[in-house]
Amino acid sequence: MVQSSVPLCNTCGEQVGLNANGEVFVACHECNFPICKDCFEHEINEDHRVCMRCGTPHEERTKEEEEDFHEIKVHENEDDDFHEIKVHENQSTTPFQINNSQVMVYEELLVAQDVGLHARHVSTVSTVDSVESWKEKDKKNKKKKAAPKEEKDASIPPEQQMEETRPTEAAAAAPLSVVIPMSKSKIAPYRTVIIMRLIILGLFFHYRVTNPVESAFPLWLTSIICEIWFAFSWVLDQFPKWSPINRQTFIDNLSARFEREGEPNELAAVDFFVSTVDPLKEPPLITANTVLSILAVDYPVDKVSCYVSDDGAAMLTFESLVETADFARKWVPFCKKFSIEPRAPEFYFSQKIDYLKDKVQPSFVKEPRAMRDYEEYKVRVNAMVAKAQKTPEEGWTMQDGTPWPGNNSRDHPGMIQVFLGHTGARDIEGNELPRLVYVSREKRPGYQHHKKAGAENALVRVSAVLTNAPFILNLDCDHYVNNSKAVREAMCFLMDPEVGRDVCYVQFPQRFDGIDRSDRYANRNTVFFDVNMKGLDGIQGPVYVGTGCVFNRQALYGYSPPSMPSLPRSSCCCFPSKKSTNDVSDFQRNAKREELEAAIFNLKELDNYDEHERSMLISQMSFEKTFGLSTVFIESTLMENGGVPEAADPSMLIKEAIHVISCGYEEKTLWGKEIGWIYGSVTEDILSGFKMQCRGWKSIYCMPLRPAFKGSAPINLSDRLHQVLRWALGSIEIFLSRHCPLWYGFSGGRLKWLQRMAYINTIVYPFTSLPLVAYCSLPAICLLTGKFIIPTLSNVASVLFLGLFLSIIITSVLELRWSGVSIEDLWRNEQFWVIGGVSAHLFAVFQGLLKMLAGVDTNFTVTAKAAEDSLMGRQNRTPTIVVLWSVLLASVFSLVWVKINPFVNTVDSETIAETCIAIDC
């Protein structure tokens, strides 16, 4: 319920009241500090002539300023859940102003901004306070105030004079982000149509079930079953989008709060993960561009570490990183000197920038040599790629003549190489560079390595030992940093003490380069990223999509959110694991963690124990059964703010890092079961995010104006269908596992119902391929047999059909209206949904059932990241497309058959029209 427009006094708690003009009384026009007239007069009588919040002298107000400030009008809507603030058009833009100087802020946000005894009350003046704290005054007003200010300062006691740093202090206290709910004018009609469509669906099914077609009963029954499944799928997809929201971040406030001049930089450190497998399908130059964009991000260099996981143990990847580290010494200072975007050289130079026109700095004209340096770097890398096309019979050898340890990609030791770092090579200007680490985990026959999920977990352990940043950002090798301030965008949420406390990750949307204008394969997934994810952000948060995501390391370790008690046991109600119940219970219980903190969490206290005592203490707490046999790693997991001991020996840390990536390290631990990336599906991203949110964590969707990351999309239909097949297969694996959202995670009650519906939709959508193939085949069967599934329509039935089609169209139109998605993107999404549904999804269902029932494992196919003639020539040669062509040819043949067969004269023309519409759909 919206509070009264008259705020409460911060001193006495009474209403501020109105002035002689009937307007809300305002004591300080600088910050609109809520104080009633009586308390204000008392402060004046006590000779307190400055504002208690911002320190502005009360006498400093002029008549012109009074009129200027009263241009702000706060309008309150009694029926809405938000306030609408209109700001005078002459006022400078504030962080809260969006679209014609209007902003809508939820009451919960205003509560966090109010101060004093009655902070629980929501006031419109407190909102104006937030706006005014960001206002920059016009030069004209500054000149007018300059002379009287000097006179007033002389009359103010020295102890009450404020320093001229109020804007900085105000920015430091200002919010780091705000939630912008959808306008009522957009979301209310959308919800209304959804409810109407649900009612029409109920009436439609009542008509269909009560009017069977006896002459074609099997076909009629099949159509009814298919239609019920489609309606169920629509409900699962639609209702999680009930409360979509937008978010806005203020990175300037982040800097003002954590990067104060003359003080140590307090921004949190971030470990970047880049994973690659096959350098022939994932060219080293693409991976190198991703690494270079990371090393050049707009973030303190001592807070950035980049870990590259080479799961194929390829010497080509290693040598390309050697060249990349050397080129980074030139590229990083170039990016930061001229603030260029993007900071991946391949994509920056492809913009064809005119150095004379597009840049103001004269010195930039001399910088085309950066392009020349990059071209020379490309020649060296491409030469290595050409050389690697043919592997020598004796295998690869390193420069010192020793064999490359990874010649056998399935049987090799763990390898770690630190290329750059705080004590390593500096750039050409003598400045530090972020740390760059090459990692290839150990692989031996007879061990299950869990593909990408296992590689990511190995990076979690290595980074914890070497740098232990509290946050982790993972990227695919083909997703480069397109916005150098992307990390700061995420920190606006994760470092906010109010917002970020229960946030497990911040997910960015995926954007792509090199897609044709028509997006024939629906690679952009615009409907998912701009519609579905915004809806999930209004519930419990978006799902994790595998890349472009910043994690809270503590959430990856399986801990519950700080604001919630830990779950007492594994939250699977149908498939409890008796073997691990005690370990999981001990691990997740906050009381157990508090006991550990007394002796282990404080590293200073750990110095009082010798190595044997520490090992015994950790062993007693069952942490070895959870995290594995590494005291160094276990100690790092208990450091919520990250970091490594200053006295740690680097050589010892490297040795320990090699130990934690050994292939047997995860044996008899909870890795992949309760902590880290979860095993059991090729879509480990969905499963890992689901487990975190079942523990009560929330996630956030961040969509900066400049896309944070960009990647490469599949280059042909074959690769696109293989990609869709892999996603669908992963969903089937989750559906057939104990982590299925239909029964997992109920005991804690921490997963919201709409969020659960969204996760159910992500794992059951491949099964839609079965009714979709059947429904697409029905029109052809009906035309060929002369038996139809719909009787002659009555007037009421016609109205129901018409209402159903109109509700579908109106829902789509309103969805496009609040999301900003184009109608072409919607059409491409629906088109490829049908293509994938009758091809890749269908194969995934049968492949998943074979794996579950017969134990037939599936092969993971890496999607090619570069165009090749051989690939373009075979783009349609894939078995997954057989069913699609079969349905299409059957439909065409049935239409031809109707034209030449005499029975068509006896068939109701309305029925034929309906059948043709079904074929077209």
Side-chain angles (χ1 to χ4, degrees):
M1 188 177 199
V2 179
Q3 300 290 332
S4 170
S5 60
V6 180
L8 301 177
C9 175
N10 195 68
T11 302
C12 65
E14 300 295 333
Q15 287 191 344
V16 169
L18 306 176
N19 59 17
N21 297 327
E23 298 174 338
V24 176
F25 176 77
V26 179
C28 176
H29 290 299
E30 277 295 326
C31 68
N32 286 309
F33 184 61
I35 184 172
C36 67
K37 188 173 182 180
D38 293 337
C39 294
F40 174 69
E41 292 176 352
H42 176 74
E43 292 292 324
I44 295 297
N45 294 334
E46 293 292 327
D47 204 25
H48 296 161
R49 299 180 181 274
V50 294
C51 176
M52 290 185 290
R53 174 183 287 179
C54 66
T56 302
H58 293 307
E59 294 88 352
E60 217 176 63
R61 293 174 294 154
T62 64
K63 202 167 187 181
E64 292 178 1
E65 287 178 323
E66 284 279 343
E67 297 174 357
D68 207 20
F69 276 99
H70 281 301
E71 287 291 332
I72 299 175
K73 297 180 181 179
V74 181
H75 300 277
E76 181 174 286
N77 190 332
E78 294 291 343
D79 299 326
D80 295 345
D81 294 333
F82 56 87
H83 299 298
E84 182 175 340
I85 304 170
K86 293 186 177 180
V87 184
H88 190 271
E89 61 183 2
N90 293 329
Q91 183 179 350
S92 60
T93 304
T94 71
F96 284 95
Q97 289 177 289
I98 302 167
N99 297 334
N100 300 324
S101 299
Q102 294 184 3
V103 65
M104 286 162 285
V105 185
Y106 270 137
E107 291 182 11
E108 296 85 54
L109 296 174
L110 303 180
V111 171
Q113 297 173 14
D114 287 342
V115 297
L117 300 174
H118 300 275
R120 62 183 180 277
H121 296 290
V122 180
S123 65
T124 53
V125 173
S126 65
T127 309
V128 179
D129 169 24
S130 300
V131 176
E132 287 303 317
S133 66
W134 286 87
K135 183 181 178 183
E136 294 181 1
K137 298 182 178 179
D138 295 333
K139 293 182 179 180
K140 182 178 178 180
N141 289 340
K142 287 184 177 180
K143 291 180 180 180
K144 288 182 178 180
K145 291 174 61 176
K149 186 174 182 179
E150 293 177 359
E151 298 176 1
K152 297 297 179 182
D153 285 346
S155 62
I156 300 174
E159 62 272 14
Q160 293 183 4
Q161 291 187 11
M162 303 294 292
E163 296 179 0
E164 293 300 324
T165 58
R166 292 183 203 131
T168 303
E169 293 176 356
L176 302 181
S177 64
V178 292
V179 176
I180 307 172
M182 295 295 173
S183 169
K184 285 288 186 179
S185 62
K186 294 181 179 180
I187 201 64
Y190 178 67
R191 293 173 176 173
T192 303
V193 173
I194 291 176
I195 298 300
M196 291 178 59
R197 184 173 172 182
L198 197 61
I199 296 173
I200 294 174
L201 271 176
L203 297 174
F204 169 79
F205 283 121
H206 179 267
Y207 168 78
R208 293 282 282 128
V209 171
T210 55
N211 291 271
V213 181
E214 300 295 343
S215 60
F217 188 81
L219 296 178
W220 169 84
L221 183 61
T222 301
S223 68
I224 290 294
I225 295 174
C226 293
E227 289 164 2
I228 291 176
W229 179 266
F230 293 148
F232 171 69
S233 300
W234 172 77
V235 170
L236 291 179
D237 180 68
Q238 196 70 52
F239 277 89
K241 297 182 284 188
W242 187 260
S243 302
I245 63 171
N246 289 312
R247 295 181 186 269
Q248 185 180 10
T249 57
F250 309 125
I251 58 178
D252 291 338
N253 295 355
L254 181 76
S255 296
R257 187 177 297 189
F258 298 106
E259 293 183 293
R260 297 188 178 186
E261 188 176 353
E263 299 180 8
N265 193 302
E266 296 180 357
L267 287 176
V270 181
D271 287 338
F272 287 77
F273 292 175
V274 179
S275 55
T276 182
V277 180
D278 187 350
L280 298 181
K281 285 192 175 182
E282 299 169 331
L285 195 60
I286 292 181
T287 303
N289 271 270
T290 300
V291 171
L292 289 169
S293 68
I294 292 173
L295 298 178
V297 293
D298 183 6
Y299 209 70
V301 293
D302 60 324
K303 308 284 186 178
V304 175
S305 299
C306 178
Y307 293 84
V308 179
S309 171
D310 178 17
D311 221 31
M315 188 174 179
L316 175 58
T317 303
F318 179 85
E319 287 188 337
S320 67
L321 278 184
V322 174
E323 292 289 344
T324 302
D326 183 63
F327 178 69
R329 298 176 61 246
K330 304 175 183 178
W331 177 249
V332 172
F334 170 74
C335 294
K336 296 187 175 181
K337 182 178 181 180
F338 298 105
S339 301
I340 67 170
E341 296 285 0
R343 299 189 177 182
E346 183 69 24
F347 302 95
Y348 171 70
F349 291 125
S350 65
Q351 298 176 121
K352 306 297 182 183
I353 293 177
D354 187 337
Y355 298 98
L356 296 175
K357 294 181 179 179
D358 297 342
K359 289 294 177 180
V360 179
Q361 304 97 321
S363 60
F364 195 84
V365 180
K366 302 178 182 179
E367 294 301 333
R369 67 171 181 267
M371 181 186 294
R372 184 173 62 253
D373 291 338
Y374 178 63
E375 292 298 330
E376 294 173 356
Y377 162 74
K378 284 176 62 176
V379 170
R380 294 193 297 271
V381 173
N382 289 332
M384 289 189 294
V385 174
K387 181 181 177 181
Q389 297 294 326
K390 185 177 181 180
T391 305
E393 294 182 1
E394 67 278 5
W396 299 105
T397 57
M398 295 186 289
Q399 291 183 355
D400 60 358
T402 58
W404 170 248
N407 278 323
N408 187 344
S409 61
R410 298 182 179 180
D411 187 3
H412 64 84
M415 295 178 282
I416 296 177
Q417 176 66 49
V418 180
F419 291 109
L420 302 173
H422 313 316
T423 60
R426 295 177 177 262
D427 63 27
I428 57 176
E429 296 182 358
N431 300 318
E432 289 185 1
L433 288 169
R435 186 181 301 236
L436 175 61
V437 184
Y438 169 87
V439 179
S440 182
R441 58 182 173 142
E442 181 187 17
K443 287 190 176 180
R444 300 297 182 191
Y447 287 93
Q448 177 60 262
H449 299 103
H450 304 288
K451 303 183 174 105
K452 181 181 177 180
E456 295 288 345
N457 283 339
L459 289 183
V460 172
R461 297 191 294 271
V462 168
S463 62
V465 172
L466 297 181
T467 52
N468 196 31
F471 301 110
I472 294 171
L473 195 161
N474 84 299
L475 292 172
D476 288 342
C477 65
D478 62 322
H479 276 70
Y480 64 92
V481 181
N482 182 65
N483 183 348
S484 62
K485 297 184 184 296
V487 183
R488 295 178 180 270
E489 297 275 355
M491 291 302 114
C492 285
F493 302 108
L494 294 170
M495 294 192 68
D496 191 319
E498 298 294 333
V499 177
R501 190 174 179 196
D502 293 339
V503 175
C504 56
Y505 58 81
V506 175
Q507 178 67 63
F508 291 88
Q510 290 187 24
R511 304 299 189 212
F512 301 95
D513 288 313
I515 298 177
D516 57 290
R517 294 183 60 184
S518 61
D519 191 16
R520 68 185 71 180
Y521 305 135
N523 278 306
R524 292 191 179 95
N525 284 327
T526 309
V527 173
F528 174 75
F529 286 112
D530 290 15
V531 180
N532 296 40
M533 296 287 267
K534 283 185 180 180
L536 292 177
D537 199 18
I539 311 172
Q540 197 170 344
V543 298
Y544 168 43
V545 297
T547 184
C549 187
V550 186
F551 286 95
N552 181 338
R553 190 183 283 268
Q554 292 292 307
L556 281 173
Y557 289 155
Y559 291 116
S560 295
S563 62
M564 294 185 180
S566 295
L567 294 175
R569 54 182 295 142
S570 179
S571 52
C572 177
C573 64
C574 294
F575 300 98
S577 177
K578 295 181 179 180
K579 182 177 179 181
S580 62
T581 297
N582 293 333
D583 293 341
V584 175
S585 177
D586 291 342
F587 164 62
Q588 292 185 334
R589 200 181 300 273
N590 273 350
K592 177 70 71 176
R593 186 177 181 187
E594 291 174 0
E595 293 175 7
L596 284 167
E597 287 177 350
I600 298 179
F601 183 79
N602 191 333
L603 290 179
K604 294 180 181 179
E605 290 295 327
L606 279 173
D607 293 339
N608 298 329
Y609 298 97
D610 58 27
E611 190 66 29
H612 176 72
E613 290 174 332
R614 281 192 290 184
S615 299
M616 290 295 295
L617 183 60
I618 291 173
S619 178
Q620 290 171 6
M621 298 301 178
S622 301
F623 262 56
E624 289 181 350
K625 297 179 181 179
T626 302
F627 294 114
L629 299 172
S630 173
T631 305
V632 176
F633 175 75
I634 292 174
E635 291 173 4
S636 71
T637 65
L638 299 169
M639 302 172 63
E640 293 186 359
N641 297 322
V644 295
E646 295 181 0
D649 182 7
S651 60
M652 183 273 292
L653 293 181
I654 291 292
K655 182 179 179 181
E656 194 67 22
I658 291 290
H659 169 59
V660 298
I661 61 172
S662 59
C663 56
Y665 183 83
E666 295 182 356
E667 296 261 323
K668 299 180 181 180
T669 67
L670 295 183
W671 282 102
K673 302 172 185 175
E674 297 294 334
I675 61 176
W677 272 258
I678 305 302
Y679 304 150
S681 171
V682 294
T683 53
E684 70 289 329
D685 45 8
I686 296 292
L687 188 54
S688 302
F690 173 64
K691 290 275 286 187
M692 293 181 196
Q693 294 193 328
C694 282
R695 298 189 187 102
W697 290 95
K698 298 178 182 178
S699 58
I700 284 179
Y701 196 49
C702 182
M703 295 182 64
L705 293 178
R706 180 180 180 84
F709 310 101
K710 281 190 175 182
S712 303
I715 58 179
N716 52 54
L717 181 60
S718 176
D719 278 345
R720 175 62 169 152
L721 289 178
H722 274 101
Q723 183 186 60
V724 173
L725 171 64
R726 186 170 70 248
W727 293 344
L729 179 60
S731 296
I732 298 297
E733 290 172 340
I734 297 174
F735 177 81
L736 298 175
S737 71
R738 73 184 188 93
H739 291 118
C740 178
L742 287 169
W743 50 71
Y744 184 88
F746 282 96
S747 61
R750 297 179 176 182
L751 193 67
K752 295 184 178 181
W753 278 101
L754 289 181
Q755 192 80 9
R756 184 176 296 277
M757 288 177 63
Y759 275 111
I760 292 174
N761 186 45
T762 62
I763 57 103
V764 302
Y765 78 89
F767 292 102
T768 305
S769 60
L770 298 174
L772 184 62
V773 171
Y775 211 73
C776 289
S777 303
L778 279 177
I781 296 173
C782 292
L783 290 174
L784 292 173
T785 60
K787 297 180 180 180
F788 296 93
I789 59 176
I790 300 177
T792 302
L793 298 179
S794 63
N795 292 335
V796 175
S798 300
V799 171
L800 285 177
F801 273 88
L802 180 61
L804 186 59
F805 279 106
L806 286 177
S807 65
I808 293 173
I809 295 172
I810 295 174
T811 303
S812 300
V813 170
L814 294 176
E815 207 167 74
L816 297 180
R817 183 168 174 250
W818 65 253
S819 66
V821 174
S822 68
I823 191 170
E824 182 181 7
D825 290 327
L826 179 66
W827 168 249
R828 284 299 184 193
N829 180 80
E830 295 299 320
Q831 185 184 48
F832 198 81
W833 176 78
V834 176
I835 294 174
V838 298
S839 57
H841 295 173
L842 186 65
F843 270 71
V845 171
F846 290 109
Q847 202 167 346
L849 292 176
L850 282 174
K851 182 178 181 180
M852 179 69 180
L853 301 177
V856 179
D857 200 359
T858 56
N859 293 323
F860 176 83
T861 303
V862 178
T863 305
K865 304 302 190 299
E868 297 178 15
D869 294 338
S870 60
L871 290 175
M872 296 301 291
R874 63 175 176 85
Q875 62 176 343
N876 291 326
R877 300 176 187 175
T878 172
T880 58
I881 210 170
V882 172
V883 179
L884 175 63
W885 280 108
S886 300
V887 172
L888 180 61
L889 293 175
S891 300
V892 173
F893 179 77
S894 64
L895 287 174
V896 175
W897 177 258
V898 168
K899 292 294 183 181
I900 64 176
N901 198 300
F903 92 89
V904 73
N905 297 323
T906 64
V907 178
D908 187 1
S909 60
E910 183 179 353
T911 305
I912 295 179
E914 293 167 359
T915 305
C916 292
I917 291 173
I919 293 176
D920 182 60
C921 294

